[in-house]
Amino acid sequence: MRKKIVVGNWKMNKTVAEATDLAAAILEKLDDGAVACEVGIAPPFPALTEVGNVIEKSAVGLVAQNCHFEDDGAYTGEVSVNMLASLGCSCVIIGHSERRQYFGETNQTVNLRLKKALDKGMQVIMCVGETLEERESGVTEKVVTEQVREGLKDVSDLGDVVLAYEPVWAIGTGKTATPEQAEEVHASIRSTISDMYGEVAAGQIRVQYGGSVKPSNAAELFAKPNIDGGLIGGASLKADDFVAIVKAAS
Ligand code: PGA
């Protein structure tokens, strides 16, 4: 039985003070004992330390939104895995569609970042998903399969890997994939993993759904056999909504 995982991706929102307040509000509403899934929050880099202090003694994990693939050096504006680990991050999101769309991230750079994070012992959430144009031209499965295969190239152990299927057309748009649409892609991702790593690994890897998950649609999505939780953007900025989604996964 795969343990569901729900992570709040705060994106470029919240000052340090606001982030600290939000983390505290989430903890207050989240009754740790009643939560049966893995939970993480991904504040922006400047808030990692303070948010880390707030959640330190809780079951909520500290997640980063990106990392670089080199250990250190002349990479202005970038953040290394060692730096994130030194702040208490245990997990990092790689290849979010906004990174791919606005910051030139490719399957190859996703693969480099992923391998570096895994080498350093960090859990990785690797995001994949098709654009509206790709969905409408019928290439969803092909695009997503390629993202999975190329993103995981030369990775032998999936123990610390979580995948997130996030159709680009559903992110921040209010348009959620129907549970059936999502399930279809999740099943295809699992079958790609089975081809690459065998049935046991395919049965163990968790595949989150992301894209306009809300308290009103979370339970229905998470009830699908191949959907193992969610990567939550907009709704993770409201403590009540995020906690309701976590409870839907528990
Ligand atoms: P959304 O974002 O929930 O605001 O659609 C999801 C994500 O980008 O991870």
Side-chain angles (χ1 to χ4, degrees), residues 9-15 18-19 43-44 65 237:
N9 173 13
W10 295 1
K11 308 192 179 183
M12 196 178 73
N13 294 292
K14 306 289 174 191
T15 62
E18 290 165 351
Q65 296 178 17
L237 296 170

Side-chain angles (χ1 to χ4, degrees), residues 160-247:
D160 285 327
V161 178
V162 173
L163 300 175
Y165 168 58
E166 299 207 304
V168 178
W169 49 272
I171 295 179
T173 58
K175 280 189 208 164
T176 321
T178 64
E180 291 69 32
Q181 280 174 322
E183 171 63 17
E184 190 184 350
V185 182
H186 281 240
S188 132
I189 291 173
R190 209 174 291 287
S191 112
T192 303
I193 296 296
S194 178
D195 289 347
M196 294 173 75
Y197 295 92
E199 259 179 60
V200 174
Q204 285 169 344
I205 194 165
R206 291 174 297 174
V207 188
Q208 298 175 295
Y209 169 79
S212 300
V213 178
K214 308 179 266 266
S216 57
N217 60 21
E220 216 189 343
L221 284 159
F222 299 162
K224 290 291 176 193
N226 286 294
I227 301 184
D228 307 310
L231 185 54
I232 321 299
S236 72
L237 296 170
K238 291 187 199 124
D240 283 328
D241 286 1
F242 183 63
V243 170
I245 293 168
V246 169
K247 290 189 174 159

Side-chain angles (χ1 to χ4, degrees), residues 21-232:
D21 287 351
L22 176 57
I26 288 171
L27 279 200
E28 198 188 302
K29 291 168 201 290
L30 200 69
D31 173 7
D32 263 13
V35 172
C37 65
E38 197 174 320
V39 184
I41 48 181
F45 291 136
L48 281 170
T49 303
E50 294 297 329
V51 168
N53 289 339
V54 174
I55 62 178
E56 199 184 358
K57 293 195 172 65
S58 76
V60 177
L62 189 62
V63 180
Q65 296 178 17
N66 190 22
C67 67
H68 197 255
F69 45 79
E70 295 291 350
D71 285 331
D72 42 46
Y75 300 100
T76 302
E78 290 293 324
V79 173
S80 76
V81 180
N82 284 342
M83 293 170 190
L84 297 173
S86 75
L87 299 177
C89 287
S90 53
C91 176
V92 58
I93 299 169
I94 308 273
H96 189 279
S97 68
E98 286 148 18
R99 302 288 326 161
R100 295 177 188 261
Q101 208 176 340
Y102 307 132
F103 303 102
E105 193 83 70
T106 63
N107 289 338
Q108 286 66 43
T109 57
V110 167
N111 176 248
L112 290 174
R113 288 176 214 272
L114 177 126
K115 285 189 292 192
K116 177 57 73 176
L118 292 178
D119 277 354
K120 302 280 179 186
M122 203 162 285
Q123 185 185 44
V124 172
I125 296 173
M126 183 178 90
C127 304
V128 298
E130 81 288 1
T131 61
L132 184 59
E133 203 184 348
E134 288 162 345
R135 172 158 286 263
E136 285 175 346
S137 46
V139 294
T140 296
E141 191 174 327
K142 177 177 172 288
V143 168
V144 171
T145 301
E146 217 166 80
Q147 288 171 335
V148 170
R149 284 193 175 272
E150 293 181 11
L152 293 176
K153 190 164 179 274
D154 300 326
V155 172
S156 54
D157 184 351
L158 295 184
D160 285 327
V161 178
V162 173
L163 300 175
Y165 168 58
E166 299 207 304
V168 178
W169 49 272
I171 295 179
T173 58
K175 280 189 208 164
T176 321
T178 64
E180 291 69 32
Q181 280 174 322
E183 171 63 17
E184 190 184 350
V185 182
H186 281 240
S188 132
I189 291 173
R190 209 174 291 287
S191 112
T192 303
I193 296 296
S194 178
D195 289 347
M196 294 173 75
Y197 295 92
E199 259 179 60
V200 174
Q204 285 169 344
I205 194 165
R206 291 174 297 174
V207 188
Q208 298 175 295
Y209 169 79
S212 300
V213 178
K214 308 179 266 266
S216 57
N217 60 21
E220 216 189 343
L221 284 159
F222 299 162
K224 290 291 176 193
N226 286 294
I227 301 184
D228 307 310
L231 185 54
I232 321 299

